[in-house]
Structures are given as structure tokens and as C-alpha cells.
Amino acid sequence: LWNYNANSSLDAQFTSLSISNNIVWCPGGKLYAIDATNGTLKWSYSSLTAFGFSNLYLNNGKVYVANSGSLYCFGQ
């Protein structure tokens, strides 16, 4: 139904995908939030290191990802 292309080869190396509330969460060089119904980018967050994000976990409306020894939590 749709396709989303990341901007660079590091960004395109998604480590895992999760879906919650019609948002596809794609960790890689950046953390992407993509609308599951039409494939449009909702927002993205750049990794501060060359390692990118991994080990995505969703709980109670929050997104948790790891990056080079740090844990990030995103939510409203």
C-alpha cells in the first residue's frame, strides 16, 4: 500500500519494527515514527552517536530505545 525510504544507508538499517496506535516505529540511525495508514513521516529523532537506535520497546504509550549504553524514552 505504501513505501517509505530513509535518507541514508545508516537510517535504512532498521533493527526492528513495532506498531502501536497506527504508528510504525522504526529504529536505526534515526528513530522514525511513520503513519501506518499512509506511510507519511510523523517525526524522527537523530541518534547522537554512530551506533543508532536498537531494542525498541513499547509500553503505556511510550517508546523506549537503546543507543550506545543510553536508554531513551519518547512519549506525550
Side-chain angles (χ1 to χ4, degrees):
L1 298 174
W2 54 264
N3 180 40
Y4 182 82
N5 289 315
N7 294 330
S8 73
S9 60
L10 177 62
D11 293 345
Q13 296 177 5
F14 299 135
T15 56
S16 62
L17 302 175
S18 294
I19 299 174
S20 177
N21 297 327
N22 284 328
I23 302 290
V24 180
W25 299 97
C26 307
K30 292 181 181 179
L31 176 62
Y32 288 92
I34 299 170
D35 188 309
T37 59
N38 59 25
T40 58
L41 180 66
K42 299 288 235 174
W43 62 266
S44 66
Y45 185 83
S46 294
S47 167
L48 301 177
T49 69
F51 298 104
F53 293 105
S54 63
N55 302 322
L56 182 131
Y57 179 73
L58 302 169
N59 188 36
N60 291 327
K62 293 185 174 51
V63 178
Y64 300 87
V65 287
N67 174 272
S68 186
S70 295
L71 179 64
Y72 293 80
C73 176
F74 297 92
Q76 295 182 2

